[in-house]
Amino acid sequence: QVQLVESGGGLVQAGGSLRLSCAASGRTFSASPMGWFRQAPGKEREFVAAINWSGSSPSYADSVKGRFTISRPNLSNTVNLQMNSLEPEDTAVYYCVARRGAISMRAREYDYWGQGTQVTVSS
């Protein structure tokens, strides 16, 4: 199996920045896209960003485009999410995801999920 572990969450003031990181271990697939979803209390899980295993073709939700940057460094088993200009609306649990196949914006199509990391943005 594949294990995903997120880190980097925390409490920040509006306008601040955080960088989330995700490390994959186990039987990883080099061709597996990785990305991020988030879920706020009382709301459904929503797509944030995803990137191809090669580090190309990033995809972003409209709500974070221009503020968040997803990257996949030298190793294919890691993915980062740089979050700038954070807003209270960004408050949520952020989940790292991976799947066998193409990048998708549908949560149900991802095979592997991390435990989540809390991001709280104060006003």
Side-chain angles (χ1 to χ4, degrees):
Q1 296 183 357
V2 175
Q3 295 82 43
L4 303 174
V5 180
E6 306 97 333
S7 63
L11 173 64
V12 297
Q13 190 176 19
S17 299
L18 283 174
R19 192 183 82 151
L20 305 183
S21 296
C22 176
S25 62
R27 296 288 294 179
T28 59
F29 297 98
S30 61
S32 296
M34 297 180 67
W36 298 89
F37 281 76
R38 67 185 183 186
Q39 187 168 27
K43 297 183 179 180
E44 64 182 356
R45 194 166 296 175
E46 66 173 342
F47 173 80
V48 177
I51 193 168
N52 187 273
W53 65 268
S54 66
S56 62
S57 303
S59 181
Y60 298 94
D62 289 341
S63 60
V64 306
K65 192 172 296 183
R67 299 188 298 118
F68 292 9
T69 303
I70 190 170
S71 63
R72 200 159 184 172
N74 55 309
L75 296 179
S76 62
N77 64 345
T78 61
V79 64
N80 300 319
L81 185 68
Q82 179 66 46
M83 305 185 294
N84 298 327
S85 301
L86 284 163
E87 305 169 352
E89 292 73 22
D90 296 315
T91 295
V93 176
Y94 285 70
Y95 297 92
C96 178
V97 299
R99 74 180 297 259
R100 187 176 183 178
I103 289 175
S104 176
M105 299 178 68
R106 300 179 177 89
R108 62 181 179 274
E109 295 186 357
Y110 282 87
D111 303 302
Y112 307 103
W113 291 75
Q115 292 284 86
T117 185
Q118 177 70 49
V119 172
T120 302
V121 184
S122 62
S123 59

